[in-house]
Amino acid sequence: MKDFHLITSISAIPETQWQKLQRNSAGDYPFLGYRFLAALEHSGCIGSGSSGNNNEDHEHDSGWQVQYLVRFDTQGEAEIIIPCYRKTHSYGEYVFDWSWAEAYQRYALEYYPKLLWAAPFTPASGPRLLHNATSDIQVQKAWQDALQAVQAFCSAQQLSGWHLNFIAPGDKVLLDTLCKSATTQAMPPVRRRGCQFHWFNQGYISFDHYLQSFASRKRKNVRKERQRLQDMSINIVQKTADNISAADIHFFYQCYQLTYWRRRSQGYLNETFFQLCRQHLSRQMLLVQAEKDGQLLASALYFFDDTTLYGRYWGCQQDIDGLHFEACYYQGIEFCIKNNLQRFDPGTQGEHKISRGFTPVSTFSYHQLMQPEFQQAVAHFAQEEEAQVIIYEQQARSLLPFKR
């Protein structure tokens, strides 16, 4: 891990230095921004202290230990930041490796701790390396140095391996090249493919203009779905920036936890985190509220940057047919059209998104296990899985509602 230093709290890096690298390499992508990560850490959702479920009965390690690998220049300023986390479980990652952990256990080997290189709790593809590189050659060198540093760190710390999740689409070709040419291990990192459903703005001027691209029957279904809520006198309100109050976030958090409670679990994030986001990131937040007769019924929380809207969290006080689609999809599409955002990433899973115009897109992650035999098995698994994902994407694309 030559020239890289281990930083175990974001507070050890000046915000100005972090954000300078962020703007250069990641734009205003929200989930690697200083204040988003600081909110996770200061609320105890990552790092030592209270767990993400905010259980005050006992404090313990969250299972997400900050392991930022940072290289400084001769002036003492950060020039590369690798956002990594030492994980003692696989919760909150959305690239599922439970079967790999079980295989290790069967052979009496330790899968945890491992190193996760990702945006915590966020299955939104985006930049994964902060750097000050300004040319393609410099960017390639920064990635090459980062991969070597992560590999060396795992060896030194005796971790089972590293996992780089949800890379930006523009980095895929570079990562493929670097991983294939890797010479520091017996087997190169393995690429794993997944599928999500995203909406793309084709210059629409209104939601109705968007629906004109649908086949007639599909268009009528969406209009009927939206009209049903209007007939019930359910009003939808969008709030951003200073219009989002602490009370709004409190209600949203109750809804968020209800979503997990119905599945007999608890959300990864606590209310303190969301309130910190409201205080420091509200200009990149969209809160959608549903109400009837002055009573709030549901709430959905999004983040956005200059090009993309990210649908992240949702919950409702009572189940109402079609309300989830309105709050989490149609309102997001309207926001994108109004603000000229080019893409809407609503999160993982959900084949019901297809009929509403969300197109299947590939996501990519990279994995390196230190045990050669397991790395070989993972390589075979990923190869077979990718073939299945490609077929799935083709089938999903054939079901899109657009006119032929």
Side-chain angles (χ1 to χ4, degrees), residues 144-385:
Q144 190 172 31
D145 292 349
L147 289 169
Q148 291 175 352
V150 167
Q151 183 77 13
F153 181 76
C154 286
S155 296
Q157 296 290 318
Q158 296 184 322
L159 305 178
S160 68
W162 56 264
H163 307 264
L164 170 55
N165 287 358
F166 295 107
I167 65 162
D171 291 328
K172 173 184 173 292
V173 174
L174 175 59
L175 264 293
D176 282 346
T177 301
L178 291 176
C179 289
K180 287 178 181 178
S181 63
T183 58
T184 57
Q185 57 275 329
M187 290 194 63
V190 169
R191 187 185 74 194
R192 192 173 180 189
R193 187 175 191 143
C195 177
Q196 293 181 345
F197 300 95
H198 296 184
W199 179 88
F200 295 92
N201 192 344
Q202 304 297 332
Y204 304 116
I205 60 175
S206 67
F207 192 89
D208 190 63
H209 182 213
Y210 165 58
L211 286 185
Q212 293 305 314
S213 65
F214 279 36
S216 176
R217 183 172 60 86
K218 300 291 187 179
R219 182 167 61 246
K220 289 179 181 178
N221 289 342
V222 172
R223 285 177 172 163
K224 184 186 298 184
E225 199 166 52
R226 302 196 80 186
Q227 185 62 45
R228 188 182 303 124
L229 296 178
Q230 294 182 30
D231 293 343
M232 295 175 63
S233 299
I234 294 176
N235 299 316
I236 306 295
V237 177
Q238 294 185 2
K239 294 183 177 182
T240 59
D242 295 339
N243 291 323
I244 303 174
S245 69
D248 290 331
I249 292 298
H250 178 68
F251 174 78
F252 156 77
Y253 183 72
Q254 291 178 318
C255 293
Y256 162 79
Q257 285 291 13
L258 272 175
T259 299
Y260 286 89
W261 178 81
R262 288 176 178 133
R263 293 179 292 191
R264 287 174 168 73
S265 63
Q266 287 184 297
Y268 296 122
L269 306 171
N270 56 38
E271 184 175 351
T272 300
F273 164 74
F274 291 112
Q275 293 290 1
L276 286 171
C277 286
R278 181 191 67 84
Q279 294 171 28
H280 301 297
L281 282 170
S282 64
R283 295 188 181 279
Q284 287 188 271
M285 293 169 62
L286 165 65
L287 185 69
V288 173
Q289 295 177 325
E291 60 91 16
K292 180 177 181 178
D293 299 330
Q295 179 181 356
L296 289 173
L297 302 174
S299 192
L301 183 63
Y302 306 70
F303 289 84
F304 60 91
D305 54 31
D306 286 342
T307 63
T308 305
L309 178 69
Y310 305 92
R312 295 301 302 118
Y313 315 103
W314 140 268
C316 60
Q317 297 283 6
Q318 55 180 289
D319 291 326
I320 298 175
D321 188 30
L323 185 55
H324 173 255
F325 301 135
E326 179 66 37
C328 294
Y329 303 136
Y330 301 145
Q331 288 296 314
I333 290 172
E334 288 196 342
F335 185 83
C336 287
I337 293 172
K338 180 180 178 181
N339 293 278
N340 197 31
L341 299 181
Q342 300 307 300
R343 183 170 63 99
F344 175 16
D345 171 357
T348 59
Q349 302 175 340
E351 294 176 352
H352 51 270
K353 298 168 186 170
I354 301 172
S355 64
R356 294 162 177 87
F358 288 79
T359 302
V361 298
S362 298
T363 62
F364 295 97
S365 303
Y366 293 82
H367 308 268
Q368 178 69 60
L369 301 180
M370 307 303 285
Q371 290 282 347
E373 298 82 4
F374 283 93
Q375 183 68 0
Q376 186 174 15
V378 164
H380 289 310
F381 168 84
Q383 186 176 21
E384 294 178 356
E385 183 184 48

Side-chain angles (χ1 to χ4, degrees), residues 29 32 83 117-119 122 124-130 143 164-167:
Y29 177 76
L32 285 188
W117 183 350
T122 307
S125 296
R128 291 295 179 262
L129 185 66
L130 305 183
W143 270 104
L164 170 55
N165 287 358
F166 295 107
I167 65 162

